[in-house]
Amino acid sequence: MERSFKGHNGLNIMGEVYSNSEAHDCVLFAHGGGQTRYAWRESAKVIHEMGYTTCTVDLRGHGDSDWDSKGDYSMEAFAQDLILVSQEMPTKPIVVGASLGGIASMIAAGEIDPDCFKALVLVDITPTMDMNGVEKIISFMGAHLKDGFASLEEAAEVIAAYMPHRKAPKNLDGLKKNLRRDESGRYRWHWDPLFIEGTMRPSASRDPIRLVQGVKNISVPIALIRGRMSELVTEEAVLEFKKLVPTARYFDVSGAGHMVAGDSNDVFNDALVEYLQWLK
């Protein structure tokens, strides 16, 4: 069921809820920068079938959620959105946050409200990360902002060149969820350009000291699911994370880069299922 939530400063945050009236737990999925809630659709269905209520949301400025009129894409705004959405869930949710969604979750639970989530699953994101990988992702996101794409096929070719390890889809319908067609007929990424070009864009990834302290402040159970071929989270970053959070569970997903759920969805789902069963 599609549902609208009220986020920070009244922004509409759009989501999909898979309800289960008998569920004792909820799982809230927060995607990475430049993605939409549809990145989680298969995972949300799998977890729902386990007996959970699940919810996927478009983060502010992404997908069908509102663009902020002032261009407020600060990490604090994303974190406040997640807290407000969590408060509308039937029970305090277990949050699964990838990249941007993971950093926003760290700040939400580590700085703003330590009681906002029941547990946290970080998907290929840690307080310290390879900044060369960060720059690579930002460069890819910004490369086609001005001109967009003439067709879905052109966009698919660009994505395939950026992620050669991922098997190209035979059907491009899923790609439509990450693109919007403008008045001229060209396809553009389905997010506000101010997300990476504005003056209030997220910058917490460049402040590892802040994120390290935030993670140390988190009192709820934490898991890290990493893509083994990640360009952001190195093995050294994983070792440091384990020192920061000795009680954290860790899963390494083979065949996956930074976009773990999209690269190897079945293996990712297996890791998430295992963690959720461990939490019970």
mmCIF file of all heavy atoms in Angstrom, residues 190-240:
data_model
loop_
_atom_site.group_PDB
_atom_site.id
_atom_site.type_symbol
_atom_site.label_atom_id
_atom_site.label_comp_id
_atom_site.label_asym_id
_atom_site.label_seq_id
_atom_site.Cartn_x
_atom_site.Cartn_y
_atom_site.Cartn_z
ATOM 1 N N HIS A 190 15.852 10.465 -11.064
ATOM 2 C CA HIS A 190 14.636 10.788 -10.304
ATOM 3 C C HIS A 190 14.986 11.357 -8.933
ATOM 4 O O HIS A 190 14.562 10.843 -7.902
ATOM 5 C CB HIS A 190 13.771 9.533 -10.163
ATOM 6 C CG HIS A 190 12.314 9.845 -10.028
ATOM 7 N ND1 HIS A 190 11.324 8.917 -10.219
ATOM 8 C CD2 HIS A 190 11.667 10.998 -9.728
ATOM 9 C CE1 HIS A 190 10.144 9.468 -10.037
ATOM 10 N NE2 HIS A 190 10.326 10.733 -9.730
ATOM 11 N N TRP A 191 15.782 12.427 -8.936
ATOM 12 C CA TRP A 191 16.105 13.123 -7.690
ATOM 13 C C TRP A 191 16.458 14.576 -8.005
ATOM 14 O O TRP A 191 16.808 14.926 -9.127
ATOM 15 C CB TRP A 191 17.226 12.433 -6.916
ATOM 16 C CG TRP A 191 18.390 11.921 -7.717
ATOM 17 C CD1 TRP A 191 18.527 10.672 -8.253
ATOM 18 C CD2 TRP A 191 19.577 12.630 -8.081
ATOM 19 N NE1 TRP A 191 19.721 10.563 -8.917
ATOM 20 C CE2 TRP A 191 20.395 11.741 -8.823
ATOM 21 C CE3 TRP A 191 20.042 13.918 -7.842
ATOM 22 C CZ2 TRP A 191 21.637 12.115 -9.336
ATOM 23 C CZ3 TRP A 191 21.286 14.291 -8.347
ATOM 24 C CH2 TRP A 191 22.061 13.386 -9.092
ATOM 25 N N ASP A 192 16.341 15.410 -6.992
ATOM 26 C CA ASP A 192 16.578 16.839 -7.110
ATOM 27 C C ASP A 192 18.071 17.102 -7.339
ATOM 28 O O ASP A 192 18.907 16.683 -6.524
ATOM 29 C CB ASP A 192 16.114 17.525 -5.819
ATOM 30 C CG ASP A 192 16.165 19.042 -5.883
ATOM 31 O OD1 ASP A 192 16.749 19.588 -6.838
ATOM 32 O OD2 ASP A 192 15.638 19.679 -4.949
ATOM 33 N N PRO A 193 18.449 17.811 -8.403
ATOM 34 C CA PRO A 193 19.867 18.105 -8.636
ATOM 35 C C PRO A 193 20.540 18.833 -7.473
ATOM 36 O O PRO A 193 21.757 18.726 -7.290
ATOM 37 C CB PRO A 193 19.836 18.991 -9.890
ATOM 38 C CG PRO A 193 18.600 18.561 -10.612
ATOM 39 C CD PRO A 193 17.604 18.257 -9.526
ATOM 40 N N LEU A 194 19.753 19.563 -6.679
ATOM 41 C CA LEU A 194 20.343 20.266 -5.527
ATOM 42 C C LEU A 194 20.874 19.297 -4.474
ATOM 43 O O LEU A 194 21.621 19.697 -3.589
ATOM 44 C CB LEU A 194 19.305 21.200 -4.887
ATOM 45 C CG LEU A 194 18.912 22.429 -5.715
ATOM 46 C CD1 LEU A 194 17.872 23.260 -4.956
ATOM 47 C CD2 LEU A 194 20.128 23.282 -6.050
ATOM 48 N N PHE A 195 20.490 18.032 -4.596
ATOM 49 C CA PHE A 195 21.004 17.015 -3.677
ATOM 50 C C PHE A 195 22.528 16.943 -3.737
ATOM 51 O O PHE A 195 23.189 16.694 -2.729
ATOM 52 C CB PHE A 195 20.378 15.655 -4.006
ATOM 53 C CG PHE A 195 21.003 14.498 -3.285
ATOM 54 C CD1 PHE A 195 20.945 14.397 -1.904
ATOM 55 C CD2 PHE A 195 21.668 13.504 -4.004
ATOM 56 C CE1 PHE A 195 21.532 13.332 -1.242
ATOM 57 C CE2 PHE A 195 22.242 12.434 -3.348
ATOM 58 C CZ PHE A 195 22.178 12.346 -1.964
ATOM 59 N N ILE A 196 23.098 17.158 -4.932
ATOM 60 C CA ILE A 196 24.563 17.150 -5.018
ATOM 61 C C ILE A 196 25.143 18.493 -5.452
ATOM 62 O O ILE A 196 26.350 18.705 -5.364
ATOM 63 C CB ILE A 196 25.085 16.046 -5.970
ATOM 64 C CG1 ILE A 196 24.626 16.271 -7.399
ATOM 65 C CG2 ILE A 196 24.679 14.670 -5.483
ATOM 66 C CD1 ILE A 196 25.336 15.344 -8.391
ATOM 67 N N GLU A 197 24.273 19.422 -5.903
ATOM 68 C CA GLU A 197 24.776 20.721 -6.369
ATOM 69 C C GLU A 197 24.452 21.864 -5.421
ATOM 70 O O GLU A 197 25.037 22.946 -5.534
ATOM 71 C CB GLU A 197 24.177 21.047 -7.742
ATOM 72 C CG GLU A 197 24.667 20.158 -8.864
ATOM 73 C CD GLU A 197 24.185 20.626 -10.224
ATOM 74 O OE1 GLU A 197 23.068 21.196 -10.301
ATOM 75 O OE2 GLU A 197 24.916 20.418 -11.196
ATOM 76 N N GLY A 198 23.535 21.673 -4.493
ATOM 77 C CA GLY A 198 23.088 22.750 -3.622
ATOM 78 C C GLY A 198 24.063 23.066 -2.499
ATOM 79 O O GLY A 198 25.059 22.367 -2.282
ATOM 80 N N THR A 199 23.743 24.111 -1.755
ATOM 81 C CA THR A 199 24.610 24.539 -0.648
ATOM 82 C C THR A 199 24.339 23.746 0.628
ATOM 83 O O THR A 199 25.164 23.759 1.542
ATOM 84 C CB THR A 199 24.398 26.039 -0.355
ATOM 85 O OG1 THR A 199 23.011 26.270 -0.037
ATOM 86 C CG2 THR A 199 24.789 26.882 -1.553
ATOM 87 N N MET A 200 23.193 23.041 0.686
ATOM 88 C CA MET A 200 22.869 22.240 1.871
ATOM 89 C C MET A 200 22.824 20.757 1.523
ATOM 90 O O MET A 200 21.934 20.028 1.928
ATOM 91 C CB MET A 200 21.534 22.698 2.476
ATOM 92 C CG MET A 200 21.606 24.051 3.144
ATOM 93 S SD MET A 200 20.090 24.474 4.047
ATOM 94 C CE MET A 200 19.005 24.897 2.678
ATOM 95 N N ARG A 201 23.783 20.312 0.737
ATOM 96 C CA ARG A 201 23.862 18.902 0.372
ATOM 97 C C ARG A 201 24.490 18.114 1.527
ATOM 98 O O ARG A 201 25.208 18.672 2.358
ATOM 99 C CB ARG A 201 24.680 18.713 -0.902
ATOM 100 C CG ARG A 201 26.089 19.271 -0.833
ATOM 101 C CD ARG A 201 26.744 19.211 -2.216
ATOM 102 N NE ARG A 201 28.103 19.736 -2.193
ATOM 103 C CZ ARG A 201 28.426 21.005 -2.349
ATOM 104 N NH1 ARG A 201 27.458 21.910 -2.498
ATOM 105 N NH2 ARG A 201 29.680 21.399 -2.336
ATOM 106 N N PRO A 202 24.247 16.811 1.586
ATOM 107 C CA PRO A 202 24.799 16.017 2.690
ATOM 108 C C PRO A 202 26.324 15.964 2.615
ATOM 109 O O PRO A 202 26.899 15.773 1.552
ATOM 110 C CB PRO A 202 24.179 14.626 2.476
ATOM 111 C CG PRO A 202 23.787 14.602 1.036
ATOM 112 C CD PRO A 202 23.417 16.006 0.674
ATOM 113 N N SER A 203 26.972 16.137 3.760
ATOM 114 C CA SER A 203 28.439 16.159 3.768
ATOM 115 C C SER A 203 29.020 15.357 4.919
ATOM 116 O O SER A 203 30.212 15.419 5.167
ATOM 117 C CB SER A 203 28.941 17.605 3.860
ATOM 118 O OG SER A 203 28.428 18.242 5.026
ATOM 119 N N ALA A 204 28.188 14.592 5.619
ATOM 120 C CA ALA A 204 28.660 13.872 6.800
ATOM 121 C C ALA A 204 29.723 12.833 6.460
ATOM 122 O O ALA A 204 30.552 12.494 7.307
ATOM 123 C CB ALA A 204 27.493 13.200 7.523
ATOM 124 N N SER A 205 29.716 12.318 5.215
ATOM 125 C CA SER A 205 30.705 11.309 4.850
ATOM 126 C C SER A 205 32.120 11.868 4.912
ATOM 127 O O SER A 205 33.092 11.114 4.970
ATOM 128 C CB SER A 205 30.425 10.776 3.441
ATOM 129 O OG SER A 205 30.516 11.816 2.480
ATOM 130 N N ARG A 206 32.244 13.197 4.904
ATOM 131 C CA ARG A 206 33.555 13.835 4.980
ATOM 132 C C ARG A 206 33.938 14.183 6.424
ATOM 133 O O ARG A 206 34.922 14.890 6.649
ATOM 134 C CB ARG A 206 33.565 15.095 4.107
ATOM 135 C CG ARG A 206 33.249 14.812 2.643
ATOM 136 C CD ARG A 206 33.242 16.075 1.813
ATOM 137 N NE ARG A 206 32.780 15.805 0.453
ATOM 138 C CZ ARG A 206 33.550 15.372 -0.529
ATOM 139 N NH1 ARG A 206 34.837 15.160 -0.296
ATOM 140 N NH2 ARG A 206 33.070 15.156 -1.732
ATOM 141 N N ASP A 207 33.152 13.712 7.352
ATOM 142 C CA ASP A 207 33.416 14.004 8.769
ATOM 143 C C ASP A 207 33.445 12.699 9.554
ATOM 144 O O ASP A 207 32.540 12.411 10.342
ATOM 145 C CB ASP A 207 32.331 14.938 9.310
ATOM 146 C CG ASP A 207 32.679 15.514 10.679
ATOM 147 O OD1 ASP A 207 33.740 15.125 11.228
ATOM 148 O OD2 ASP A 207 31.906 16.334 11.190
ATOM 149 N N PRO A 208 34.472 11.866 9.354
ATOM 150 C CA PRO A 208 34.500 10.558 10.013
ATOM 151 C C PRO A 208 34.524 10.644 11.529
ATOM 152 O O PRO A 208 33.987 9.753 12.204
ATOM 153 C CB PRO A 208 35.782 9.914 9.464
ATOM 154 C CG PRO A 208 36.615 11.058 8.987
ATOM 155 C CD PRO A 208 35.650 12.073 8.495
ATOM 156 N N ILE A 209 35.112 11.698 12.080
ATOM 157 C CA ILE A 209 35.162 11.829 13.544
ATOM 158 C C ILE A 209 33.747 11.924 14.101
ATOM 159 O O ILE A 209 33.409 11.295 15.115
ATOM 160 C CB ILE A 209 35.993 13.063 13.952
ATOM 161 C CG1 ILE A 209 37.457 12.866 13.538
ATOM 162 C CG2 ILE A 209 35.888 13.301 15.445
ATOM 163 C CD1 ILE A 209 38.339 14.062 13.799
ATOM 164 N N ARG A 210 32.901 12.686 13.415
ATOM 165 C CA ARG A 210 31.507 12.825 13.847
ATOM 166 C C ARG A 210 30.787 11.481 13.775
ATOM 167 O O ARG A 210 30.075 11.102 14.712
ATOM 168 C CB ARG A 210 30.797 13.843 12.959
ATOM 169 C CG ARG A 210 29.311 13.979 13.255
ATOM 170 C CD ARG A 210 28.633 14.870 12.236
ATOM 171 N NE ARG A 210 27.233 15.070 12.558
ATOM 172 C CZ ARG A 210 26.375 15.729 11.787
ATOM 173 N NH1 ARG A 210 26.792 16.266 10.651
ATOM 174 N NH2 ARG A 210 25.112 15.867 12.149
ATOM 175 N N LEU A 211 30.977 10.756 12.684
ATOM 176 C CA LEU A 211 30.286 9.480 12.521
ATOM 177 C C LEU A 211 30.813 8.422 13.478
ATOM 178 O O LEU A 211 30.043 7.595 13.970
ATOM 179 C CB LEU A 211 30.410 8.999 11.076
ATOM 180 C CG LEU A 211 29.744 9.893 10.015
ATOM 181 C CD1 LEU A 211 29.919 9.289 8.630
ATOM 182 C CD2 LEU A 211 28.259 10.091 10.326
ATOM 183 N N VAL A 212 32.101 8.444 13.734
ATOM 184 C CA VAL A 212 32.675 7.517 14.720
ATOM 185 C C VAL A 212 32.033 7.729 16.076
ATOM 186 O O VAL A 212 31.613 6.782 16.750
ATOM 187 C CB VAL A 212 34.206 7.688 14.811
ATOM 188 C CG1 VAL A 212 34.752 7.032 16.079
ATOM 189 C CG2 VAL A 212 34.881 7.090 13.584
ATOM 190 N N GLN A 213 31.916 8.986 16.490
ATOM 191 C CA GLN A 213 31.298 9.267 17.781
ATOM 192 C C GLN A 213 29.826 8.900 17.776
ATOM 193 O O GLN A 213 29.301 8.370 18.766
ATOM 194 C CB GLN A 213 31.456 10.759 18.132
ATOM 195 C CG GLN A 213 31.005 11.114 19.542
ATOM 196 C CD GLN A 213 31.732 10.317 20.601
ATOM 197 O OE1 GLN A 213 32.967 10.280 20.625
ATOM 198 N NE2 GLN A 213 30.990 9.657 21.482
ATOM 199 N N GLY A 214 29.162 9.150 16.649
ATOM 200 C CA GLY A 214 27.750 8.802 16.552
ATOM 201 C C GLY A 214 27.524 7.318 16.718
ATOM 202 O O GLY A 214 26.630 6.889 17.457
ATOM 203 N N VAL A 215 28.315 6.503 16.035
ATOM 204 C CA VAL A 215 28.167 5.049 16.134
ATOM 205 C C VAL A 215 28.463 4.576 17.551
ATOM 206 O O VAL A 215 27.779 3.687 18.080
ATOM 207 C CB VAL A 215 29.086 4.345 15.109
ATOM 208 C CG1 VAL A 215 29.252 2.876 15.454
ATOM 209 C CG2 VAL A 215 28.505 4.481 13.713
ATOM 210 N N LYS A 216 29.452 5.169 18.186
ATOM 211 C CA LYS A 216 29.788 4.784 19.560
ATOM 212 C C LYS A 216 28.650 5.098 20.518
ATOM 213 O O LYS A 216 28.497 4.450 21.557
ATOM 214 C CB LYS A 216 31.070 5.486 20.010
ATOM 215 C CG LYS A 216 32.324 4.964 19.311
ATOM 216 C CD LYS A 216 33.529 5.850 19.567
ATOM 217 C CE LYS A 216 33.977 5.809 21.008
ATOM 218 N NZ LYS A 216 35.245 6.580 21.192
ATOM 219 N N ASN A 217 27.825 6.092 20.161
ATOM 220 C CA ASN A 217 26.707 6.485 21.034
ATOM 221 C C ASN A 217 25.483 5.594 20.862
ATOM 222 O O ASN A 217 24.568 5.628 21.693
ATOM 223 C CB ASN A 217 26.287 7.932 20.739
ATOM 224 C CG ASN A 217 27.315 8.938 21.189
ATOM 225 O OD1 ASN A 217 28.189 8.634 22.009
ATOM 226 N ND2 ASN A 217 27.240 10.155 20.659
ATOM 227 N N ILE A 218 25.429 4.833 19.786
ATOM 228 C CA ILE A 218 24.240 4.026 19.505
ATOM 229 C C ILE A 218 24.172 2.852 20.471
ATOM 230 O O ILE A 218 25.129 2.097 20.617
ATOM 231 C CB ILE A 218 24.245 3.529 18.052
ATOM 232 C CG1 ILE A 218 24.144 4.735 17.098
ATOM 233 C CG2 ILE A 218 23.082 2.570 17.798
ATOM 234 C CD1 ILE A 218 24.291 4.372 15.631
ATOM 235 N N SER A 219 23.033 2.705 21.111
ATOM 236 C CA SER A 219 22.885 1.675 22.146
ATOM 237 C C SER A 219 22.103 0.452 21.671
ATOM 238 O O SER A 219 22.087 -0.563 22.362
ATOM 239 C CB SER A 219 22.183 2.268 23.372
ATOM 240 O OG SER A 219 20.915 2.801 23.018
ATOM 241 N N VAL A 220 21.471 0.539 20.514
ATOM 242 C CA VAL A 220 20.672 -0.597 20.012
ATOM 243 C C VAL A 220 21.577 -1.547 19.227
ATOM 244 O O VAL A 220 22.671 -1.176 18.807
ATOM 245 C CB VAL A 220 19.508 -0.105 19.134
ATOM 246 C CG1 VAL A 220 18.576 0.783 19.937
ATOM 247 C CG2 VAL A 220 20.021 0.619 17.894
ATOM 248 N N PRO A 221 21.124 -2.786 18.983
ATOM 249 C CA PRO A 221 21.930 -3.736 18.194
ATOM 250 C C PRO A 221 22.205 -3.216 16.784
ATOM 251 O O PRO A 221 21.352 -2.573 16.162
ATOM 252 C CB PRO A 221 21.054 -4.981 18.161
ATOM 253 C CG PRO A 221 20.169 -4.879 19.348
ATOM 254 C CD PRO A 221 19.897 -3.418 19.521
ATOM 255 N N ILE A 222 23.410 -3.492 16.291
ATOM 256 C CA ILE A 222 23.822 -3.036 14.965
ATOM 257 C C ILE A 222 24.402 -4.212 14.175
ATOM 258 O O ILE A 222 25.102 -5.060 14.722
ATOM 259 C CB ILE A 222 24.894 -1.927 15.053
ATOM 260 C CG1 ILE A 222 24.395 -0.725 15.850
ATOM 261 C CG2 ILE A 222 25.298 -1.457 13.649
ATOM 262 C CD1 ILE A 222 25.427 0.373 15.992
ATOM 263 N N ALA A 223 24.116 -4.213 12.882
ATOM 264 C CA ALA A 223 24.749 -5.157 11.960
ATOM 265 C C ALA A 223 25.307 -4.378 10.775
ATOM 266 O O ALA A 223 24.803 -3.302 10.424
ATOM 267 C CB ALA A 223 23.752 -6.206 11.470
ATOM 268 N N LEU A 224 26.355 -4.907 10.183
ATOM 269 C CA LEU A 224 26.932 -4.340 8.962
ATOM 270 C C LEU A 224 26.896 -5.409 7.881
ATOM 271 O O LEU A 224 27.417 -6.514 8.063
ATOM 272 C CB LEU A 224 28.381 -3.897 9.214
ATOM 273 C CG LEU A 224 29.191 -3.509 7.967
ATOM 274 C CD1 LEU A 224 28.576 -2.311 7.257
ATOM 275 C CD2 LEU A 224 30.645 -3.212 8.339
ATOM 276 N N ILE A 225 26.256 -5.087 6.751
ATOM 277 C CA ILE A 225 26.251 -5.962 5.585
ATOM 278 C C ILE A 225 27.044 -5.248 4.490
ATOM 279 O O ILE A 225 26.625 -4.198 4.002
ATOM 280 C CB ILE A 225 24.824 -6.271 5.103
ATOM 281 C CG1 ILE A 225 24.001 -6.913 6.225
ATOM 282 C CG2 ILE A 225 24.865 -7.194 3.885
ATOM 283 C CD1 ILE A 225 22.560 -7.222 5.837
ATOM 284 N N ARG A 226 28.179 -5.812 4.146
ATOM 285 C CA ARG A 226 29.093 -5.163 3.191
ATOM 286 C C ARG A 226 29.133 -5.924 1.873
ATOM 287 O O ARG A 226 29.038 -7.148 1.834
ATOM 288 C CB ARG A 226 30.510 -5.132 3.775
ATOM 289 C CG ARG A 226 31.611 -4.707 2.809
ATOM 290 C CD ARG A 226 32.972 -4.792 3.473
ATOM 291 N NE ARG A 226 34.044 -4.447 2.570
ATOM 292 C CZ ARG A 226 34.876 -5.315 2.004
ATOM 293 N NH1 ARG A 226 34.741 -6.622 2.257
ATOM 294 N NH2 ARG A 226 35.844 -4.911 1.192
ATOM 295 N N GLY A 227 29.278 -5.182 0.780
ATOM 296 C CA GLY A 227 29.546 -5.798 -0.504
ATOM 297 C C GLY A 227 31.036 -6.094 -0.601
ATOM 298 O O GLY A 227 31.861 -5.203 -0.398
ATOM 299 N N ARG A 228 31.379 -7.310 -0.904
ATOM 300 C CA ARG A 228 32.791 -7.708 -0.883
ATOM 301 C C ARG A 228 33.628 -6.909 -1.874
ATOM 302 O O ARG A 228 34.830 -6.717 -1.672
ATOM 303 C CB ARG A 228 32.920 -9.205 -1.172
ATOM 304 C CG ARG A 228 34.308 -9.774 -0.934
ATOM 305 C CD ARG A 228 34.293 -11.282 -1.026
ATOM 306 N NE ARG A 228 33.467 -11.890 0.017
ATOM 307 C CZ ARG A 228 33.158 -13.181 0.068
ATOM 308 N NH1 ARG A 228 33.604 -14.004 -0.880
ATOM 309 N NH2 ARG A 228 32.404 -13.660 1.039
ATOM 310 N N MET A 229 33.015 -6.415 -2.959
ATOM 311 C CA MET A 229 33.737 -5.610 -3.944
ATOM 312 C C MET A 229 33.487 -4.114 -3.743
ATOM 313 O O MET A 229 33.655 -3.312 -4.665
ATOM 314 C CB MET A 229 33.318 -6.023 -5.354
ATOM 315 C CG MET A 229 33.626 -7.470 -5.683
ATOM 316 S SD MET A 229 33.272 -7.885 -7.420
ATOM 317 C CE MET A 229 31.489 -7.649 -7.466
ATOM 318 N N SER A 230 33.103 -3.724 -2.540
ATOM 319 C CA SER A 230 32.743 -2.339 -2.266
ATOM 320 C C SER A 230 33.870 -1.376 -2.595
ATOM 321 O O SER A 230 35.026 -1.603 -2.251
ATOM 322 C CB SER A 230 32.370 -2.181 -0.784
ATOM 323 O OG SER A 230 32.149 -0.816 -0.484
ATOM 324 N N GLU A 231 33.503 -0.263 -3.258
ATOM 325 C CA GLU A 231 34.464 0.789 -3.526
ATOM 326 C C GLU A 231 34.505 1.818 -2.395
ATOM 327 O O GLU A 231 35.302 2.739 -2.423
ATOM 328 C CB GLU A 231 34.157 1.480 -4.856
ATOM 329 C CG GLU A 231 32.748 2.062 -4.975
ATOM 330 C CD GLU A 231 31.768 1.111 -5.642
ATOM 331 O OE1 GLU A 231 31.580 -0.011 -5.118
ATOM 332 O OE2 GLU A 231 31.174 1.504 -6.668
ATOM 333 N N LEU A 232 33.627 1.649 -1.400
ATOM 334 C CA LEU A 232 33.579 2.587 -0.280
ATOM 335 C C LEU A 232 34.098 1.987 1.019
ATOM 336 O O LEU A 232 34.872 2.632 1.734
ATOM 337 C CB LEU A 232 32.132 3.072 -0.052
ATOM 338 C CG LEU A 232 31.837 4.520 -0.449
ATOM 339 C CD1 LEU A 232 32.001 4.676 -1.958
ATOM 340 C CD2 LEU A 232 30.428 4.907 -0.029
ATOM 341 N N VAL A 233 33.642 0.787 1.332
ATOM 342 C CA VAL A 233 33.960 0.183 2.626
ATOM 343 C C VAL A 233 35.078 -0.846 2.439
ATOM 344 O O VAL A 233 34.849 -1.944 1.925
ATOM 345 C CB VAL A 233 32.714 -0.477 3.256
ATOM 346 C CG1 VAL A 233 33.074 -1.113 4.586
ATOM 347 C CG2 VAL A 233 31.604 0.561 3.435
ATOM 348 N N THR A 234 36.267 -0.462 2.839
ATOM 349 C CA THR A 234 37.425 -1.336 2.713
ATOM 350 C C THR A 234 37.474 -2.330 3.867
ATOM 351 O O THR A 234 36.759 -2.184 4.867
ATOM 352 C CB THR A 234 38.720 -0.514 2.717
ATOM 353 O OG1 THR A 234 38.841 0.158 3.996
ATOM 354 C CG2 THR A 234 38.708 0.537 1.596
ATOM 355 N N GLU A 235 38.349 -3.320 3.756
ATOM 356 C CA GLU A 235 38.521 -4.273 4.844
ATOM 357 C C GLU A 235 39.052 -3.583 6.091
ATOM 358 O O GLU A 235 38.704 -3.959 7.216
ATOM 359 C CB GLU A 235 39.462 -5.401 4.399
ATOM 360 C CG GLU A 235 38.861 -6.293 3.320
ATOM 361 C CD GLU A 235 39.774 -7.443 2.943
ATOM 362 O OE1 GLU A 235 40.855 -7.575 3.568
ATOM 363 O OE2 GLU A 235 39.408 -8.213 2.036
ATOM 364 N N GLU A 236 39.872 -2.542 5.885
ATOM 365 C CA GLU A 236 40.385 -1.778 7.028
ATOM 366 C C GLU A 236 39.248 -1.049 7.734
ATOM 367 O O GLU A 236 39.220 -0.977 8.974
ATOM 368 C CB GLU A 236 41.444 -0.771 6.554
ATOM 369 C CG GLU A 236 42.748 -1.378 6.078
ATOM 370 C CD GLU A 236 42.654 -2.000 4.695
ATOM 371 O OE1 GLU A 236 41.660 -1.702 3.966
ATOM 372 O OE2 GLU A 236 43.557 -2.783 4.333
ATOM 373 N N ALA A 237 38.311 -0.520 6.957
ATOM 374 C CA ALA A 237 37.159 0.171 7.546
ATOM 375 C C ALA A 237 36.302 -0.801 8.349
ATOM 376 O O ALA A 237 35.755 -0.441 9.402
ATOM 377 C CB ALA A 237 36.326 0.837 6.460
ATOM 378 N N VAL A 238 36.190 -2.031 7.867
ATOM 379 C CA VAL A 238 35.427 -3.051 8.590
ATOM 380 C C VAL A 238 36.095 -3.368 9.913
ATOM 381 O O VAL A 238 35.432 -3.459 10.960
ATOM 382 C CB VAL A 238 35.285 -4.333 7.743
ATOM 383 C CG1 VAL A 238 34.669 -5.459 8.574
ATOM 384 C CG2 VAL A 238 34.427 -4.065 6.511
ATOM 385 N N LEU A 239 37.408 -3.520 9.913
ATOM 386 C CA LEU A 239 38.139 -3.812 11.151
ATOM 387 C C LEU A 239 37.957 -2.685 12.164
ATOM 388 O O LEU A 239 37.761 -2.936 13.367
ATOM 389 C CB LEU A 239 39.626 -4.023 10.856
ATOM 390 C CG LEU A 239 39.984 -5.292 10.078
ATOM 391 C CD1 LEU A 239 41.471 -5.294 9.731
ATOM 392 C CD2 LEU A 239 39.621 -6.540 10.882
ATOM 393 N N GLU A 240 38.014 -1.447 11.680
ATOM 394 C CA GLU A 240 37.814 -0.308 12.584
ATOM 395 C C GLU A 240 36.395 -0.301 13.135
ATOM 396 O O GLU A 240 36.179 -0.019 14.319
ATOM 397 C CB GLU A 240 38.099 0.998 11.850
ATOM 398 C CG GLU A 240 37.975 2.222 12.748
ATOM 399 C CD GLU A 240 38.376 3.510 12.064
ATOM 400 O OE1 GLU A 240 38.990 3.450 10.984
ATOM 401 O OE2 GLU A 240 38.052 4.581 12.619
#
